[in-house]
Amino acid sequence: MATWAARERLRTGLSLPLRRSREDPEERPTEDGAPARGGWISLVTEWLNLVCKWFLFGDRPFWWVHESGYYNQAPAQVHQFPSSCETGPGSPSGHCMITGAALWPVMTALSSQVATRSRSRWVRAMPSLAYCTFLLAVGLSRIFLLAHFPHQVLAGLVTGAALGWLMTPRVPMERELSFYGLTALALMLGASLIYWTLVTLGLDLSWSISLASKWCERPEWVHVDSRPFASLSRDSGAALGLGIALHSPCYVQVRRVQLGIGQKVTCLALAMGLLGALSWLGHPPQASLFYVFNFLKYTLWPCLVLALVPWLAHSLSAPDAPPSRSS
């Protein structure tokens, strides 16, 4: 459950209504736009996680128990799950690293809100405790699923929290649309350059895909969206989509709007419904078409969550203007 909750679609879908209902025109800059900050930090962190995995070559437990040779005399009995058979290297944990970084601005924004409403030290600590508890649950779930070793989880947690702390005050919120387009291009070209440089040097970066396919109990559990270039197309699309969302008329109209409880519930329902529909579409079986589809899908994703959904929630529940009185 914690692994599922850590996936980007739920992080993005939930952080929007929870944060939007607290936005206020008088808020400090560090608290404004927590969903957009989380989206930016998430895509940058996932890109860094991808590059780190190419250099660190971490094994995953579900194939290591068979390949290490330690259990030749007495084969280890391990139980795999549909989420176990990821095809990328294991170090550091992407789920822990990305979740820790992306939820940092949400946690700090909630902490600031609670601090203005309560003097209790325990109440003020609740957002931080919830943040740490959730990350601990994600880490333990990754170990239980045989997707990561404990040291890979610890590396992901520490690195993710550090990146969240470093990047939250430095998120480029007021940039031109061209900046986000160039960022998407830079992410794609930068990762491709690193990849082909390492391949030219004689490194086999597809080694983990071969091992995952070899030792996964069921072939249908080996998903194409867990491959390294799937995350690259996802990050590039999200960078472009974030820029489009932040410059859209819908986002401009609701950026400083304070949403009520009913609007928050509507926002949550609309977000989860639209994101569920996107996930239901599936993906093409061909790898090249999948990467194009994945790019377009995640370009649309921020536009829905950051702009269209809150605009719809506000528009559907906005009170009608009172009729003007004749003099």
Side-chain angles (χ1 to χ4, degrees):
M1 187 63 170
T3 291
W4 175 75
R7 294 187 185 277
E8 185 176 353
R9 60 177 176 269
L10 192 59
R11 279 204 313 271
T12 309
L14 291 182
S15 65
L16 168 66
L18 288 175
R19 182 67 193 106
R20 281 282 182 186
S21 63
R22 294 170 172 81
E23 285 194 345
D24 189 294
E26 303 298 327
E27 285 180 331
R28 290 169 288 183
T30 55
E31 296 178 28
D32 184 40
R37 292 176 186 275
W40 174 265
I41 292 172
S42 176
L43 67 92
V44 173
T45 303
E46 186 171 26
W47 188 90
L48 292 174
N49 180 262
L50 168 65
V51 175
C52 287
K53 286 182 175 179
W54 283 344
F55 284 95
L56 296 179
F57 290 93
D59 287 302
R60 291 185 183 270
F62 79 90
W63 75 58
W64 180 86
V65 296
H66 304 289
E67 292 283 333
S68 63
Y70 287 108
Y71 301 97
N72 289 340
Q73 300 298 328
Q77 300 296 323
V78 295
H79 181 66
Q80 296 181 10
F81 300 87
S83 299
S84 300
C85 301
E86 296 196 11
T87 58
S91 186
S93 168
H95 279 73
C96 295
M97 183 172 168
I98 299 166
T99 305
L103 290 184
W104 184 273
V106 178
M107 182 270 292
T108 54
L110 291 176
S111 297
S112 299
Q113 289 289 326
V114 171
T116 61
R117 290 168 169 78
S118 175
R119 296 183 178 180
S120 171
R121 186 175 301 177
W122 287 104
V123 175
R124 291 184 177 187
M126 288 304 295
S128 298
L129 290 175
Y131 171 82
C132 294
T133 301
F134 182 69
L135 289 185
L136 178 62
V138 172
L140 291 177
S141 72
R142 301 303 291 164
I143 296 172
F144 177 78
L145 293 174
L146 299 179
H148 291 288
F149 291 101
H151 71 277
Q152 297 171 344
V153 166
L154 181 61
L157 292 175
V158 174
T159 306
L163 287 173
W165 175 70
L166 288 171
M167 288 194 291
T168 294
R170 299 173 177 86
V171 174
M173 295 289 294
E174 303 294 338
R175 297 295 185 94
E176 298 295 330
L177 179 58
S178 59
F179 169 83
Y180 297 94
L182 291 174
T183 298
L185 183 62
L187 292 176
M188 190 175 300
L189 294 180
S192 299
L193 178 61
I194 295 172
Y195 177 87
W196 289 112
T197 300
L198 295 177
V199 170
T200 303
L201 293 175
L203 297 178
D204 180 16
L205 297 184
S206 63
W207 65 275
S208 60
I209 300 176
S210 302
L211 290 176
S213 302
K214 178 181 178 181
W215 293 113
C216 188
E217 289 182 359
R218 300 184 183 181
E220 63 269 20
W221 288 355
V222 181
H223 301 291
V224 66
D225 60 358
S226 68
R227 294 190 176 188
F229 275 94
S231 64
L232 177 59
S233 64
R234 179 165 57 241
D235 298 335
S236 301
L240 178 60
L242 181 61
I244 295 174
L246 294 179
H247 288 81
S248 67
C250 293
Y251 182 80
V252 172
Q253 292 183 33
V254 299
R255 180 179 178 182
R256 300 292 187 178
V257 171
Q258 184 178 2
L259 301 182
I261 297 299
Q263 292 171 317
K264 172 176 143 181
V265 173
T266 303
C267 201
L268 175 61
L270 288 173
M272 299 309 297
L274 291 173
L275 299 182
L278 278 181
S279 300
W280 177 80
L281 290 177
H283 55 77
Q286 299 87 352
S288 57
L289 291 179
F290 165 76
Y291 293 136
V292 174
F293 176 83
N294 208 40
F295 176 86
L296 296 175
K297 174 181 175 180
Y298 281 90
T299 300
L300 181 60
W301 203 295
C303 299
L304 293 177
V305 173
L306 291 174
L308 181 61
V309 165
W311 178 80
L312 285 174
H314 175 65
S315 300
L316 292 175
S317 55
D320 297 331
S324 58
R325 297 181 179 179
S326 58
S327 56

